[in-house]
Amino acid sequence: MGNRKNLYIHTIGCQMNHYDTEQMAKRLAPVGYDITPFLERADLIITNTCSVREKAEQKVYSFLGRLVEMKAEKPDLIIGVSGCVAQQEGAAILKRVPKLDLVLGTHAIARLPGNIQRLEKQRSPIVDVEVSTTIDDFVASADPVQADHVTAFVTVMRGCDNYCTYCIVPYVRGREMSRPAEKIVDEIRILVASGVREVTLLGQNVNSYGKKEGLCTFHDLLALLNDVDGLWRIRFTTSHPKDLSDDLIQCFGHLGKLCHHIHLPVQSGSNRILKLMNRKYTREQYFEKVDKLRRTCPDIAITSDIIVGFPGETPADFQETLDLIKAIEYDSLFMFRYSDRPHTPASGFSGTVSSQAQKERFDALLALQEQLTVKKHRALVGLTLPVLTEGWSKRQHETGTDEHPSTVQWTGRTSTHRVVNFVRDPSPAHPETLRGKMVDVKIRRAFPHSLEGISADVCPDWGPGGEEANVT
Ligand code: 5AD
Ligand code: SF4
């Protein structure tokens, strides 16, 4: 293995980007590259980028600036940029970032190894941002990644046809395309064989999975995955409220492995703003979906995205958003200040909300949600909840040594996606590992972003059905 080289991938942005990063690393291994955690040791550095908001894009350019400086010291270094900014800017990035060797678009991951081999032979910049119109190369670009984690992401579809007026995704990720169910099942079986117990299915709008291609529906896909032996938990993200079908809602009632959590971005509580955003639902229709979800699965956790300061948003519109949040009581919220994006219709809308007003609205939202989350977390104190242990949270060395810490704090998540840190009580006589085990944890304390508890029991032979039975 004398000629192996070092690869460093810097990932900015969403889970889809993290998945693509794993795919890139996997594809570069056969042509001689191993991942290094040390930027300074890298022979090839790829920045996998996000352009959904301006702030993310700024981060990209400041990181690329650092790489250009490194390259001045180390001329053989290959530097590349992939993901949404690469797709959006194409060859224009070469002007802004001199010395860049590769611009790789969102549909070009399968061509990455060939591009790198060409660069090794001859250094002239490559721009590969061709968008595919068929499913074939996407299917090719989603090989199973041998996981070393308990949880894994699996892309089931990509692209988006919704054209919300603020969003750049349809322009940089292209049209919706779904992977055949067999490929997804195969990938998940391989992940399970390597120890994965929980998968999160990824797509910009998973509810329209398979529609275009005439594949099975998303709820059929969930049913198929519910039958995969050794898989304990299934999650998915993201759902568009307009496409959330009754069949999918029913899955939360009868699929034992489907986690009790849905991310259902509402974006705004004002019908006027929802219309300007082209979201194609009203707040009343959204409330109706939430009601159905809660009737089907009473303990379901519901999380959401909100944009504050969309062009034309008045204080009254924003008040409607606050009222909606109070009425729904989300389990947690991702909040964003509106950011103008190239190509998008909203970037031409009048009624810009001042930065000061955006900040005030953002802060008001944050304060409200913190109260709601803490209230929800406090209600869980005293309950015993099953937690899938992902690893150590931290080690405490009251009397122990590095190899045998006296107390190990473990971390994992509930079915409802809450982080739980816990210790074992009584402390086991022999060193043990709980990684990948389902553990009953009694919740003792609630924090704004996590829960803390103790666990007496490791669920033996945990399987579907055990989860509900264990909630007290
Ligand atoms: N400005 C602010 N937030 C945005 N999002 C998408 N585009 C923008 C934008 N231009 C947010 C939405 C989406 C989340 C992933 O990012 O809330 O659901
Ligand atoms: Fe963007 Fe709307 Fe598509 Fe989500 S549904 S990716 S917000 S266009």
Side-chain angles (χ1 to χ4, degrees):
M1 304 287 265
N3 288 336
R4 305 292 297 174
K5 294 189 189 137
N6 288 323
L7 162 69
Y8 185 96
I9 309 184
H10 181 61
T11 313
I12 298 170
C14 65
Q15 290 142 341
M16 196 77 85
N17 267 9
H18 286 271
Y19 181 83
D20 287 350
T21 290
E22 286 184 0
Q23 293 292 331
M24 290 195 278
K26 179 174 164 101
R27 272 142 202 286
L28 287 171
V31 297
Y33 288 88
D34 298 317
I35 284 279
T36 173
F38 305 107
L39 184 68
E40 309 72 35
R41 292 195 196 156
D43 304 294
L44 165 60
I45 303 176
I46 297 173
T47 312
N48 194 9
T49 63
C50 170
S51 60
V52 80
R53 283 170 297 276
E54 200 181 350
K55 218 165 156 192
E57 208 176 319
Q58 282 162 358
K59 271 197 214 161
V60 171
Y61 285 106
S62 80
F63 187 73
L64 289 176
R66 252 177 89 191
L67 300 191
V68 170
E69 280 170 23
M70 278 178 71
K71 198 166 160 142
E73 304 280 307
K74 194 175 170 184
D76 284 345
L77 179 68
I78 301 179
I79 54 179
V81 57
S82 63
C84 296
V85 176
Q87 189 67 48
Q88 177 191 312
E89 298 296 318
I93 307 192
L94 295 176
K95 289 205 192 87
R96 191 159 168 187
V97 187
K99 304 248 167 47
L100 199 58
D101 298 296
L102 175 65
V103 180
L104 190 84
T106 53
H107 291 199
I109 290 175
R111 297 189 292 274
L112 173 62
N115 285 329
I116 296 298
Q117 285 175 316
R118 270 166 55 203
L119 284 168
E120 283 171 344
K121 288 197 201 99
Q122 198 202 350
R123 287 304 178 87
S124 55
I126 298 175
V127 178
D128 183 353
V129 289
E130 201 181 315
V131 174
S132 52
T133 48
T134 61
I135 180 79
D136 298 0
D137 39 352
F138 174 49
V139 174
S141 79
D143 275 359
V145 172
Q146 215 64 25
D148 58 352
H149 294 288
V150 177
T151 60
F153 293 113
V154 174
T155 292
V156 299
M157 54 97 62
R158 70 165 181 193
C160 184
D161 294 351
N162 285 319
Y163 292 96
C164 302
T165 54
Y166 51 81
C167 185
I168 199 167
V169 166
Y171 308 93
V172 290
R173 291 267 171 184
R175 300 286 60 73
E176 284 177 3
M177 272 181 235
S178 302
R179 294 174 67 199
E182 319 79 78
K183 296 270 176 190
I184 297 166
V185 173
D186 285 351
E187 179 169 347
I188 291 176
R189 281 195 207 285
I190 293 171
L191 290 170
V192 167
S194 69
V196 166
R197 294 286 166 258
E198 174 183 308
V199 291
T200 303
L201 310 179
L202 293 180
Q204 250 82 34
N205 181 15
V206 291
N207 310 106
S208 44
Y209 170 82
K211 277 189 189 157
K212 239 185 198 172
E213 292 82 4
L215 302 172
C216 70
T217 61
F218 188 62
H219 59 270
D220 289 335
L221 176 67
L222 290 177
L224 270 179
L225 297 180
N226 200 60
D227 289 338
V228 171
D229 286 338
L231 180 68
W232 292 349
R233 283 180 166 180
I234 306 165
R235 304 184 185 278
F236 61 84
T237 192
T238 290
S239 297
H240 195 304
K242 80 173 161 55
D243 296 320
L244 177 63
S245 66
D246 285 351
D247 287 325
L248 182 52
I249 293 175
Q250 290 313 315
C251 289
F252 287 102
H254 68 259
L255 292 183
K257 295 180 184 177
L258 186 60
C259 286
H260 292 183
H261 170 221
I262 187 166
H263 186 61
L264 197 62
V266 68
Q267 312 296 1
S268 168
S270 149
N271 281 338
R272 203 178 65 80
I273 297 295
L274 287 172
K275 196 152 190 32
L276 285 171
M277 287 177 163
N278 192 31
R279 291 291 287 175
K280 301 197 177 85
Y281 54 82
T282 60
R283 66 185 265 137
E284 292 74 20
Q285 285 163 336
Y286 187 89
F287 275 124
E288 214 175 285
K289 303 249 173 179
V290 168
D291 272 355
K292 276 190 190 163
L293 281 163
R294 288 190 166 146
R295 265 184 275 130
T296 309
C297 180
D299 74 336
I300 195 165
I302 304 179
T303 58
S304 195
D305 294 342
I306 303 275
I307 297 177
V308 297
F310 186 79
E313 185 189 71
T314 62
D317 292 316
F318 179 62
Q319 188 57 47
E320 290 203 73
T321 299
L322 291 177
D323 292 345
L324 177 137
I325 290 166
K326 276 186 214 148
I328 289 188
E329 299 202 338
Y330 287 110
D331 292 80
S332 88
L333 268 187
F334 296 89
M335 308 158 205
F336 308 104
R337 291 165 68 163
Y338 169 76
S339 156
D340 257 348
R341 300 286 62 214
H343 313 296
T344 61
S347 62
F349 287 1
S350 57
T352 304
V353 175
S354 72
S355 174
Q356 178 62 23
Q358 270 197 357
K359 187 180 176 313
E360 282 167 17
R361 290 176 199 179
F362 185 93
D363 291 347
L365 207 56
L366 198 69
L368 170 63
Q369 186 56 42
E370 244 171 46
Q371 275 176 22
L372 293 173
T373 309
V374 167
K375 182 176 145 197
K376 290 230 167 193
H377 279 187
R378 286 209 182 120
L380 298 173
V381 172
L383 298 187
T384 298
L385 304 173
V387 170
L388 176 60
T389 317
E390 291 172 25
W392 280 339
S393 159
K394 59 182 171 219
R395 303 194 290 172
Q396 291 149 352
H397 301 274
E398 283 139 21
T399 52
T401 64
D402 244 11
E403 290 72 34
H404 300 289
S406 56
T407 321
V408 177
Q409 195 180 38
W410 298 94
T411 189
R413 284 184 191 264
T414 61
S415 166
T416 52
H417 210 234
R418 293 189 172 91
V419 172
V420 179
N421 299 313
F422 64 95
V423 291
R424 293 273 275 142
D425 183 37
S427 241
H430 303 290
E432 61 170 3
T433 180
L434 296 183
R435 213 173 143 269
K437 301 237 163 74
M438 192 69 81
V439 177
D440 279 339
V441 179
K442 183 157 189 184
I443 306 301
R444 286 195 306 193
R445 293 168 73 191
F447 300 102
H449 300 289
S450 64
L451 299 165
E452 194 187 273
I454 50 172
S455 133
D457 299 316
V458 178
C459 317
D461 300 328
W462 197 89
E467 185 126 4
E468 288 90 339
N470 283 325
V471 179
T472 53

